[in-house]
Amino acid sequence: MTVTTPVSARIASIQSRIAGIQGIMGGGRGGRLGPEELFADQLATQMASQSPSTTRPVAPMTPFTPVTTPSIPGMPTPSGPSATATLAPFTRPGSAAAVAYSRPGATVATAYERPASADPLAPGSDFGSAVVAIASRELGTPYVWGGESPGGFDCSGLVRHAYRQAGIELPRVSRDQARVGEAVPSLDQAIPGDLVAFGDPVDHIGIYAGNGQMVVAPRTGDVVKVQDITRPITAIRRVVPAGTTVAGPAVAGPAAAAPAAPGASTLAGVPYAAELRAAAQRHGIDPRLLAAIARAESGFNPSAVSPAGARGLMQIRPATARSLGVDPMDPAQAADGAARYLSEQLRRFGTVELALAAYNAGPGNVQRYGGIPPFNETRTYVTRVLSYMGEMP
């Protein structure tokens, strides 16, 4: 139970304490109150003037009389204890309650759905259009730098993914992709499936979809889309010849056989071309790149041995050969080991230049220097291999 002290008793208490303070401070000899005590004395006086004993009695309240709302013709009038009004959520005049706001005439956006379509790789389908259709399956996928899977793509990752699903393995980066196949003179002569590259040096690439548009992963913060071509084009490359159709059962994936493309590297006249092509295809790298390394490393001599102990066609050191499980003096095994090692470096560092630097100087040095190491031998090597690659048939 709570005990409430009457106001009159509280006033008397304050005044009694003030009298005590005066006695302590002044000893009955004219002591003065400080500011705090003066304030307390004034407060007590004010409270006394407002004491219930001096206030006027409050008149009793008049009982509330409900107001009767006039009835409106044609509308039922609620009655009885249960007729309680319920307020509805506020809505703007003319709008529907609990509906997402949209501009007049606008369609409320829904989650993006990739278009459902027939198998683009069905036998008899146009191969270039099939590549466009495969890329279009990824419309709405976020741009992710370095991405090449349905979880996210960058521009060259999307190109590689689409062609890989069609059974054609392309280089990883746009600059190298812009050198495969054969050149197309102008956009007027381009067909769906051609690669359209931008920048000098090339830094962006897409898949031509026809009508001046391309399927592309544009940039960070964007998604895979069909986009008008507005930038100046650096190169148009045709990987699959015009009129090529899907010849066999619809098979997608890296193991599918790639159709021949005019202008694509056949390594005609290059020593050990068959071994180099087979190894490059197994590990998803450009056969011209592998052949260029063989030329730079040994001059296509499978019996070459360097002063440092590197051996064979691809000049693989004994320790590396053991880790790869190959005989470096056997051309086919050497090509396979080199292609596998180079593919690992491409995935690790993302560019042909850095992969070549890792092949020459070791991946540890590339990582340590954050790029091509500052070694004259390595820098000369990278330039020489790229030059040889451009000369390959």
Side-chain angles (χ1 to χ4, degrees):
M1 181 177 69
T2 303
V3 179
T4 303
T5 304
V7 173
S8 57
R10 292 168 61 194
I11 294 172
S13 173
I14 292 172
Q15 291 175 333
S16 173
R17 282 182 293 180
I18 291 173
I21 291 172
Q22 287 177 321
I24 293 171
M25 294 180 64
R29 293 185 296 273
R32 296 184 178 182
L33 297 178
E36 293 83 0
E37 290 78 20
L38 286 174
F39 173 75
D41 187 35
Q42 293 170 358
L43 179 62
T45 303
Q46 183 177 0
M47 290 177 63
S49 67
Q50 296 178 353
S51 172
S53 61
T54 62
T55 57
R56 292 178 296 178
V58 179
M61 293 182 62
T62 304
F64 174 74
T65 303
V67 178
T68 303
T69 304
S71 61
I72 300 174
M75 294 187 65
T77 303
S79 62
S82 62
T84 304
T86 303
L87 293 177
F90 173 77
T91 58
R92 295 183 177 86
S95 65
V99 176
Y101 174 76
S102 62
R103 295 183 178 86
T107 302
V108 178
T110 57
Y112 179 84
E113 295 181 3
R114 294 183 177 88
S117 60
D119 185 356
L121 291 176
S125 302
D126 177 75
F127 214 101
S129 297
V131 171
V132 174
I134 293 170
S136 296
R137 288 173 170 173
E138 306 305 331
L139 295 176
T141 300
Y143 178 98
V144 175
W145 188 85
E148 54 176 304
S149 72
F153 296 98
D154 60 14
C155 63
S156 56
L158 175 66
V159 168
R160 192 182 196 198
H161 171 80
Y163 271 91
R164 174 177 282 175
Q165 294 304 304
I168 299 175
E169 195 67 34
L170 295 182
R172 175 60 183 88
V173 296
S174 57
R175 181 166 39 182
D176 296 327
Q177 291 173 354
R179 292 196 287 254
V180 301
E182 64 176 352
V184 177
S186 68
L187 194 61
D188 293 338
Q189 300 176 51
I191 62 174
D194 287 349
L195 303 182
V196 281
F198 308 88
D200 185 16
V202 170
D203 58 7
H204 192 52
I205 198 163
I207 300 172
Y208 188 59
N211 300 319
Q213 295 183 313
M214 62 180 172
V215 184
V216 67
R219 60 185 178 275
T220 301
D222 212 331
V223 297
V224 175
K225 61 176 59 174
V226 177
Q227 190 176 63
D228 290 334
I229 297 174
T230 55
R231 289 178 61 183
I233 297 173
T234 302
I236 304 173
R237 307 295 296 190
R238 183 163 298 159
V239 180
V240 179
T244 300
T245 58
V246 180
V251 179
S265 176
T266 60
L267 302 185
V270 174
Y272 303 101
E275 289 85 349
L276 293 166
R277 279 199 308 269
Q281 185 175 4
R282 273 194 300 273
H283 298 289
I285 65 174
D286 192 325
R288 298 175 306 158
L289 177 60
L290 197 60
I293 293 174
R295 179 181 172 184
E297 291 287 354
S298 69
F300 299 110
N301 180 3
S303 302
V305 178
S306 77
R311 302 163 67 81
L313 181 69
M314 308 305 293
Q315 289 292 279
I316 301 174
R317 294 175 181 270
T320 306
R322 285 193 296 272
S323 68
L324 293 169
V326 299
D327 177 0
M329 305 303 285
D330 180 281
Q333 292 189 44
D336 185 83
R340 192 189 331 157
Y341 183 83
L342 189 64
S343 178
E344 292 173 358
Q345 305 316 313
L346 281 167
R347 285 193 298 272
R348 179 174 182 178
F349 295 111
T351 70
V352 170
E353 289 87 347
L354 293 180
L356 288 173
Y359 194 100
N360 177 263
N365 278 320
V366 174
Q367 189 168 358
R368 182 178 305 125
Y369 290 100
I372 298 176
F375 310 146
N376 290 334
E377 176 192 340
T378 302
R379 295 190 170 186
T380 301
Y381 176 83
V382 171
T383 302
R384 182 185 299 123
V385 171
L386 292 177
S387 175
Y388 289 165
M389 181 180 175
E391 298 171 7
M392 288 294 163

